[in-house]
Amino acid sequence: MKTKASETSSTTRKIAPTKTESPSRFIDARIEELADWRGKTLSSLRALIKQAVPDVVEEWKWRGVPVWYCDG
């Protein structure tokens, strides 16, 4: 029997960007990692954001959250 402390999931894996890697690559990896409806939803949301604001900036926050911004 597994305890909660010993259970692991691919969705809890932390992806930490370095200064040489772009946040877009981490978002790509996260979409691939989430092989269910969440990955499809994130991919669709990302496409809509890029379509609405072509010069949007993608960023990967420290807790593994993709964010987008434009003009600060």
Side-chain angles (χ1 to χ4, degrees), residues 26-39:
F26 289 99
I27 297 170
D28 291 339
R30 184 64 172 160
I31 289 169
E32 286 183 34
E33 184 179 275
L34 298 170
D36 57 5
W37 65 270
R38 296 171 297 167

Side-chain angles (χ1 to χ4, degrees), residues 1-7:
M1 183 174 161
K2 290 184 178 180
T3 63
K4 284 189 178 183
S6 66
E7 291 178 2

